[in-house]
Amino acid sequence: MLVILGFAMIIVFMTLIMTKRLSPILALIIVPTVFGLFTGAGLGIGEMVMDAIADMSSTAALLLFAIIYFGIMIDVGLFDKLVGFILKVAGHDPVKVVMGTALLTGAVSLDGDGSTTFIVVTAAMLPIYQRLEMSPVVLTCVAGLINGTLNIVPWGGPTARASSALQIDANDIFAPMVPALAAGLLVCFVFAYFLGISERRRLAKNGVAWVDEARSGTSGSKRSDLVGAVARSSSGSNSSSGSGSGAANGGTTSATLADGDSDSLDASSGNNSGSGSALTDTALDPNRATLRPKLFWFNLILTVAVMVMLIADLLPLPYLFMIAMVIALMVNFPNIKAQQEELASHASAIIAVVAMVMAAGVLTGIMSGTGMVDAMAEWLVAVIPSSMGPYMAVITGLLSIPMTFFMSNDAFYFGILPVLAETASHFGISAADMARASITGQPVHMQSPLVPAILLLVSLSGVELGDHHKKVLWRALIVSLVMLAVGVLIGVIAIG
């Protein structure tokens, strides 16, 4: 009965958010509560939920202070030069912008922290998407794919968990999987390229045509322009000019192209030398009141120091971002009133993200507390026939795709993987092979509503979780299957 209720709950939850019958926050609270009552948990549900929320409190604190810190850095202009450089290279070609998103995500993802990656990527890229009227769902899709694929690095969560659970060296898991990782990243970049092509066509249909001057011969310049722009009203949009809310303020507004102002579209020209007027009325408006150009090097050094300490794991991350936020706020906004205004400008993003994390605690707490997770895992292991024993590594890779999506990495790697590995050992399949197979599901895992980082990404980008899932899940599934297939082909994931 617990197995049936568990799978039914997952199906109902996914259906409700993908059809937009309920918002993710409501679905995360209502659906598991109803199914939890059906299990007979009664008033014990309250204790299950509070235990899970207590476990997630440090994550909520991390996201809260990280949003404020990077929001301050956006407002004071730390990322303006980066965006200007991306605009110079990409011009206004949606393909180049999407590929730039993929490259930036890949570079930042190397620190192994999804939340930091998504904050930086949305801060740098969302204003460009808004300015070009590109879909922010493309941004979340590409960022989610790349980050999920790179989540298998040794200092990332899943590889470290697999290493601990099976008592083998993390490098023995990761190093042989590098070709599979490379193949997965290649597929991600192919998807990014075609998403860019799709956006270019969509914009053309809406009256925004992209012209490659190098091909058309109209100029010797190898830059790209948006021409024939049609002014669009953006009723209810919240311009960040002056307030400096940045991407961390939700990023829900769409930019309005200047009517007949060709200069404002020419961010790649020498006259604008980067962002210029192309970012007017976006999160990186060059005229916003919060800019602190004289403090650029201080803010850069502070941010680099935070990243170094983050990787070195010298302090708990929530406390690290608390200290960094205080320093950034005091130096950039020494006036108390200005500090209060700066904090208030990020309130909506903070509420949205922290509320989502707390709501996810209801789902994880009830699934774990009622025993649904354990029952589902035991059922899946039991239904595997003994004749499939030689293929246990491949089966583990396939199981890791749905199981790490619907449960935490801890539950899978510490609760299920050891059982599967013990079974596989009877068929001559090593623990290392099982560990390698188990990490191939991470591109799909990172899209789970149980992963706080993905909730942060969609919140900052102003994207519905259901819309993100529609675009990303099948692509993430293909990436996972490619990584698994390459691992088998090169012999690092054994078939007994």
Side-chain angles (χ1 to χ4, degrees):
M1 182 58 70
L2 287 176
V3 174
I4 295 173
L5 287 173
F7 282 111
M9 182 179 71
I10 290 167
I11 292 171
V12 171
F13 171 76
M14 294 300 297
T15 300
L16 288 174
I17 65 170
M18 293 188 74
T19 58
K20 298 184 179 180
R21 300 291 179 88
L22 283 179
S23 68
I25 291 180
L26 294 181
L28 283 167
I29 296 172
I30 294 173
V31 174
T33 298
V34 172
F35 278 88
L37 292 174
F38 276 116
T39 66
L43 296 178
I45 284 181
E47 186 176 348
M48 298 174 193
V49 170
M50 294 312 298
D51 287 343
I53 290 177
D55 291 338
M56 301 184 78
S57 61
S58 62
T59 299
L62 166 62
L63 297 182
L64 190 158
F65 290 103
I67 288 172
I68 297 175
Y69 176 78
F70 282 104
I72 293 171
M73 292 299 107
I74 295 165
D75 293 346
V76 300
L78 178 64
F79 298 104
D80 287 33
K81 293 182 184 294
L82 174 61
V83 173
F85 173 76
I86 294 172
L87 278 174
K88 276 187 175 182
V89 174
H92 289 89
D93 179 8
V95 176
K96 292 181 180 178
V97 171
V98 176
M99 295 301 288
T101 303
L103 288 171
L104 179 61
T105 304
V108 184
S109 292
L110 292 175
D111 74 348
D113 183 73
S115 299
T116 302
T117 297
F118 294 146
I119 291 172
V120 173
V121 171
T122 52
M125 301 305 299
L126 185 60
I128 301 174
Y129 279 72
Q130 292 175 333
R131 185 61 192 171
L132 304 185
E133 297 187 355
M134 293 173 63
S135 171
V137 185
V138 173
L139 186 157
T140 65
C141 178
V142 171
L145 280 177
I146 297 289
N147 183 259
T149 305
L150 282 168
N151 200 39
I152 71 170
V153 293
W155 50 91
T159 301
R161 287 177 173 87
S163 171
S164 299
L166 301 183
Q167 297 182 342
I168 55 179
D169 187 81
N171 200 49
D172 290 339
I173 301 172
F174 175 74
M177 286 294 289
V178 169
L181 173 61
L185 288 173
L186 178 61
V187 174
C188 290
F189 279 102
V190 170
F191 279 137
Y193 175 78
F194 282 105
L195 283 168
I197 292 290
S198 177
E199 277 299 279
R200 185 194 289 173
R201 291 172 179 168
R202 184 184 65 81
L203 291 173
K205 287 181 180 179
N206 290 340
V208 182
W210 179 82
V211 176
D212 187 340
E213 293 183 355
R215 293 184 179 180
S216 65
T218 58
S219 169
S221 168
K222 292 185 178 180
R223 62 183 173 86
S224 307
D225 266 326
L226 280 172
V227 297
V230 179
R232 293 174 174 83
S233 63
S234 55
S235 59
S237 64
N238 299 317
S239 171
S240 61
S241 177
S243 65
S245 59
N249 203 22
T252 58
T253 64
S254 62
T256 302
L257 294 174
D259 187 9
D261 185 1
S262 60
D263 288 339
S264 69
L265 295 172
D266 191 8
S268 59
S269 67
N271 292 335
N272 289 323
S273 66
S275 57
S277 59
L279 295 174
T280 300
D281 296 328
T282 71
L284 297 186
D285 189 328
N287 301 313
R288 62 192 186 276
T290 55
L291 284 175
R292 300 291 186 269
K294 293 182 180 180
L295 294 172
F296 173 81
W297 289 108
F298 170 82
N299 290 317
L300 178 62
I301 292 170
L302 176 61
T303 301
V304 171
V306 169
M307 293 298 100
V308 170
M309 295 182 71
L310 184 151
I311 295 171
D313 197 21
L314 298 178
L315 287 173
L317 295 188
Y319 182 57
L320 173 62
F321 277 104
M322 285 181 189
I323 298 298
M325 180 210 71
V326 169
I327 296 173
L329 202 59
M330 290 178 64
V331 173
N332 289 280
F333 302 92
N335 182 273
I336 294 180
K337 183 179 180 181
Q339 291 173 3
Q340 293 173 339
E341 290 176 351
E342 179 65 16
L343 289 172
S345 70
H346 302 293
S348 61
I350 294 168
I351 292 171
V353 174
V354 173
M356 192 83 78
V357 172
M358 296 294 102
V362 178
L363 179 61
T364 57
I366 292 176
M367 285 191 71
S368 176
T370 59
M372 281 191 278
V373 168
D374 293 336
M376 292 163 67
E378 291 172 2
W379 177 81
L380 285 170
V381 172
V383 297
I384 300 173
S386 58
S387 60
M388 299 296 291
Y391 304 95
M392 280 299 297
V394 175
I395 291 172
T396 298
L398 295 174
L399 287 176
S400 73
I401 296 172
M403 295 187 79
T404 58
F405 183 84
F406 294 120
M407 64 181 66
S408 68
N409 272 340
D410 286 336
F412 178 75
Y413 286 103
F414 293 118
I416 297 173
L417 182 59
V419 176
L420 294 172
E422 178 63 26
T423 303
S425 66
H426 297 294
F427 298 93
I429 299 174
S430 71
D433 288 282
M434 294 293 288
R436 293 173 200 136
S438 72
I439 62 176
T440 58
Q442 288 305 301
V444 175
H445 163 75
M446 278 302 297
Q447 319 313 319
S448 170
L450 302 180
V451 176
I454 207 67
L455 302 179
L456 177 67
L457 174 63
V458 296
S459 296
L460 295 184
S461 302
V463 170
E464 290 288 341
L465 184 62
D467 291 337
H468 173 73
H469 281 162
K470 288 178 185 178
K471 191 172 287 287
V472 78
L473 280 181
W474 68 269
R475 291 179 170 90
L477 174 62
I478 290 175
V479 174
S480 290
L481 293 176
V482 167
M483 292 174 66
L484 179 60
V486 172
V488 172
L489 288 174
I490 63 177
V492 299
I493 297 177
I495 295 178

